[in-house]
Amino acid sequence: MMGTLKTEPARTRLDLLAPPVAAAIERWPDEAPVDVDEVLVAAIDAELADTAAFCAAYEVGLEESANCVVVAGKRGGETRYAACIVLATTRADVNGVVRRLLDARKASFAPMDDAVELTGMEYGGITPIGLPAGWPILVDSRVIATPHVIIGSGVRHSKIALPGPALGALPGATVVEDLARPA
């Protein structure tokens, strides 16, 4: 248990997950370095889903909370999307590291409507589990160095808790040194 969250295995509470997240949990590979039973979910008050409010209300440290931000990189009229996973104590280096990794002339946070439509998840709850196939998942190395982290669940009324290294092992994930800068 992290903070005051009451967690249970996510595979037993698919009702607390967005449909693409639930589907990813259901097809979690047996050979994954982290067992699916280590992916936990906890119901929360949806009004407290934003990181600072969540951490204060549920006694979770910002250094244990990870954010997933969707970035859109553009070059030559083509838009490429990626998810960046960074600790709440940091901010993704969108205009530097992320832009270069996407081989884009310009990179910015994806518009909210685009992020919601493309992921099938609620804004403020977007998570790297269950993202569209082919999207790169860029994980700051500090995240995988964290024994356990809290991330979104695809909806605002719950959170997922899992070992930090599991995020670096997701399909399409790349661990990146200094993907983020201190906030």
Side-chain angles (χ1 to χ4, degrees), residues 2-147:
M2 295 181 72
T4 60
L5 291 174
K6 292 180 177 29
T7 59
E8 50 195 312
R11 68 182 179 88
T12 66
R13 290 302 309 270
L14 298 176
D15 59 302
L16 290 176
L17 307 172
V21 180
I25 294 294
E26 287 182 307
R27 65 176 184 273
W28 196 269
D30 290 336
E31 68 278 1
V34 173
D35 189 83
V36 69
D37 287 333
E38 291 185 68
V39 181
L40 307 174
V41 67
I44 65 163
D45 180 338
E47 297 298 316
L48 299 172
D50 292 333
T51 304
F54 163 78
C55 287
Y58 293 96
E59 299 175 21
V60 172
L62 287 171
E63 68 283 354
E64 297 173 300
S65 184
N67 292 318
C68 177
V69 294
V70 177
V71 175
K74 297 181 181 183
R75 179 183 280 279
E78 179 188 347
T79 302
R80 285 170 253 175
Y81 293 94
C84 299
I85 316 305
V86 300
L87 293 177
T89 55
T90 65
R91 298 288 173 251
D93 183 4
V94 174
N95 290 311
V97 176
V98 176
R99 181 184 57 76
R100 285 190 296 277
L101 289 170
L102 289 177
D103 189 29
R105 286 197 184 284
K106 180 181 176 189
S108 59
F109 295 109
M112 178 179 63
D113 291 344
D114 291 352
V116 168
E117 181 180 337
L118 294 168
T119 64
M121 301 179 200
E122 295 176 6
Y123 193 75
I126 293 174
T127 187
I129 299 171
L131 287 173
W135 274 29
I137 300 171
L138 308 175
V139 184
D140 186 77
S141 59
R142 287 169 275 227
V143 173
I144 67 157
T146 305

